[in-house]
Each structure stands twice: as C-alpha cells, then as structure tokens.
Amino acid sequence: MACKSSGELNELLQSARRYTEKGKVADYIPALGKANRNELSIAIHYQNEECVSAGDIETKFTLQSVSKIISLAVALLDHGEEYVFSKVGMEPTGDPFNSIAKLESSVPSKPLNPMINAGALAVTNMIKGSHQSDKLVRLLQFVHDLTSNPYITYSVEVAESEFQTSNLNRSLCYFMKQHGIISGDVEELMQVYTKQCAIEMNCLDLARIGAVFAFNGMDPASKRQIIPPHIARICKTFMVTCGMYNASGEFAIKIGIPAKSGVSGAILCTVPGKYGIGIYGPALDSKGNSIAGIKLLELLSKRYNLSMF
Ligand code: GLU
C-alpha cells in the first residue's frame, strides 16, 4: 500500500517524540524489552485508500492487547452476543489489565470485560476451531481480510517469550476453568493467546484496520463488509469504555475517539466516518499506554477537532 509522508503530520510527531524519554518499554515479556524506546510512527488511512504517514513506519511491532478487539469480533461472529456476554461482562474495571481480584469478587464469577486479560483469554477460548492451530488460522485470516495484507503473521520470538513467562495469565485461566468460563486445555489456550498477541504488523496495516472500524465494518477501499455493523459498534464501544487501560476516561475527555492500546506501544484508533489511525511508540506511561503516542493523538485531536463527544 502506498503511503505519502506528510510534513504536517511529521511536525506534530516531532513535538510528541520528545516524550519518549519519559516512558519505559515493557519488559515483563522479555522480547518486548528489545524495542527502541525513541521510536514513534503514525499512519492515517482515509476512505479512498489514501494514506499519510510520519516517523519510523517500516518498524513492525506486535499487537499485544490491540489483538483483543480482533478476537472479540471473531468470537461475536462465531457465537453471537448472547453467548459471548454470558461468559464475559461489559463493564470497565479500575484494576490493572492482568488483575485477578475482580474475578474472585464478581458474582457470577466472570471477567468484567473482554479488554482485560481474563476477558480476552475467555474470548480466545471461544473462537471456533477444534485445535489451537485452527483458531490461530482463523484469527490470521481475519487480520488478512481487515488489512488486505496476506503476509501478516505472528512473531515466533515474542510469542515464545510470552508463553514461557505468562504464569499470571495461566492462573487466570485455571480460575476461569474452575468456574466454567473456559473449557479445554489451558496450555493450548495459552499457545493461541500468546500467538494472537504476537501478531506483527506496521502502523500502515494498523491504520487500515482502524479505517474498517471507522466505516462500520466495511473496508473503505473494496467496499466489502468485513464485520457486520452491529459487531463493529460493540468493538468501538469497548474501545471507548476500556480500550486505554485505566486511562480510558481521561483519554475520552482529552482525545475523544475509540482506541485500543497494547503494551508493545501500539495504538489502534478509529475516527468514525472519517479514517483509521495506527500508532507505534514503545515507550509507555505508568498506565501502560504509549506515552508519545498519546501526546501525538492529543495534538491531532486538538488540531483537527476529532473528539466525537
Ligand atoms: N500479551 C499481553 C499480556 O497478556 C498483552 C497485554 C497488553 O497489551 O495489555 O500480558
């Protein structure tokens, strides 16, 4: 996909880039710790397939929690709302993304929403496929449809690094298995989940996904309806209410667009009816969001009046 570099966007990016110094790259997944914290890139994908970009756009990164929006869309396609929300709630939580606390205190004992790890693990468990490799193929196929890029795959290094270290996520799984939220083999689920989180792309691909959501599930270039509008609406609503960890409220006030971030420093944003934005900046703030990425979105939102509220 051709993407023009934009002087205007570059000017905003340069003002935001200095904030990378104040952030920290996630290293609880050891392979993520290798990222260069000074990097920052952005792409904007418009309806007519036009795309503008700035920064280190060649860099590939893993989706991490951004993949939770994609797996949620797939699970909703596979099972419908009633089944999915019988296992996972719809409410934001004030707890960290990997917390087990609310799982124990909620009645019934189900994860509060699909954007926290417990909820995302339950969602991945639902994706159709008799074996973990079928679920992964289904997820990757969906990503290929969303991006029109059939070459996207996952990073073996990052997936293995997370698989070997994610004992907290395993504990969430065993808790949920005991309470009938998930079924099957926990190690197999961890295999799919860690590969899903390790799906790798650049910010041009990410912007294209954002554009599909911006046009209610329709690929703006091919006009193909990839996600039914009601499922795109549910995903965007979760992006607003809990897409930016415990900073979702502040993000809604200051920036005001549906967005989902991941600990790799990726941010998927969608400006309804207008365009998709993909951002990558691995230096994170204390809430786990790309510190310079948020700054850049603040500048963009102010300049172009992007808030939907
Ligand atoms: N794979 C990561 C985990 O489960 C995703 C976390 C995130 O990006 O918020 O810990």
Side-chain angles (χ1 to χ4, degrees):
M1 175 174 62
C3 198
K4 283 187 282 186
S5 78
S6 153
E8 199 173 335
L9 208 49
N10 194 42
E11 180 204 312
L12 296 178
L13 182 130
Q14 295 311 339
S15 325
R17 201 195 278 272
R18 57 200 157 92
Y19 287 86
T20 58
E21 296 296 329
K22 298 187 200 296
K24 198 174 167 302
V25 169
D27 56 7
Y28 76 98
I29 298 172
L32 292 185
K34 293 184 183 169
N36 171 358
R37 79 167 182 166
N38 298 316
E39 284 205 32
L40 186 61
S41 54
I42 180 168
I44 300 182
H45 192 96
Y46 294 89
Q47 185 169 16
N48 54 3
E49 243 202 313
E50 206 182 297
C51 172
V52 292
S53 65
D56 315 293
I57 54 163
E58 300 304 322
T59 305
K60 283 190 187 171
F61 48 85
T62 59
L63 290 180
Q64 299 304 327
S65 274
V66 173
S67 70
K68 293 172 181 172
I69 285 291
I70 294 164
S71 53
L72 175 64
V74 172
L76 285 165
L77 279 168
D78 282 356
H79 299 283
E81 283 169 64
E82 203 179 322
Y83 180 80
V84 171
F85 296 120
S86 70
K87 304 272 185 199
V88 185
M90 302 182 193
E91 301 303 332
T93 144
D95 299 326
F97 67 98
N98 53 7
S99 172
I100 200 165
K102 290 264 166 49
L103 261 187
E104 205 177 4
S105 57
S106 309
V107 180
S109 185
K110 65 179 187 184
L112 278 180
N113 69 66
M115 299 297 109
I116 52 173
N117 282 6
L121 287 157
V123 164
T124 299
N125 186 243
M126 288 176 207
I127 292 170
K128 277 191 180 152
S130 50
H131 189 260
Q132 55 114 343
S133 58
D134 304 330
K135 294 182 191 224
L136 187 71
V137 167
R138 175 140 173 66
L139 275 168
L140 280 172
Q141 182 55 55
F142 192 64
V143 169
H144 296 165
D145 285 348
L146 287 169
T147 55
S148 298
N149 180 354
Y151 300 107
I152 289 176
T153 183
Y154 66 93
S155 157
V156 174
E157 185 196 358
V158 176
E160 277 178 3
S161 178
E162 181 171 11
F163 186 79
Q164 281 159 16
T165 51
S166 50
N167 295 316
L168 205 46
N169 283 339
R170 282 186 173 82
S171 71
L172 295 171
C173 289
Y174 283 110
F175 191 93
M176 291 192 288
K177 192 168 171 173
Q178 183 68 31
H179 290 277
I181 302 293
I182 65 166
S183 58
D185 185 69
V186 168
E187 289 307 303
E188 279 199 16
L189 172 57
M190 289 307 302
Q191 285 282 356
V192 191
Y193 177 77
T194 50
K195 288 173 184 162
Q196 164 196 319
C197 289
I199 293 174
E200 198 174 40
M201 60 181 66
N202 62 25
C203 60
L204 312 184
D205 298 309
L206 198 56
R208 181 140 188 168
I209 298 178
V212 173
F213 281 104
F215 295 98
N216 300 319
M218 188 188 71
D219 178 43
S222 67
K223 307 282 180 247
R224 202 155 65 90
Q225 192 73 40
I226 297 172
I227 310 170
H230 74 283
I231 293 183
R233 183 180 56 76
I234 293 172
C235 293
K236 281 186 281 188
T237 312
F238 276 119
M239 288 162 94
V240 170
T241 57
C242 32
M244 303 300 287
Y245 306 113
N246 297 341
S248 299
E250 189 180 341
F251 188 88
I253 288 171
K254 290 192 175 159
I255 294 156
I257 55 173
K260 178 75 200 94
S261 69
V263 288
S264 54
I267 311 179
L268 163 71
C269 313
T270 175
V271 185
K274 289 191 176 147
Y275 44 75
I277 306 174
I279 289 198
Y280 172 64
L284 306 181
D285 62 19
S286 59
K287 302 269 171 73
N289 293 312
S290 169
I291 191 164
I294 298 266
K295 211 63 213 165
L296 180 52
L297 283 168
E298 247 178 80
L299 296 172
L300 263 182
S301 182
K302 271 206 191 97
R303 180 165 301 184
Y304 301 108
N305 205 13
L306 297 185
S307 176
M308 57 193 273
F309 300 107

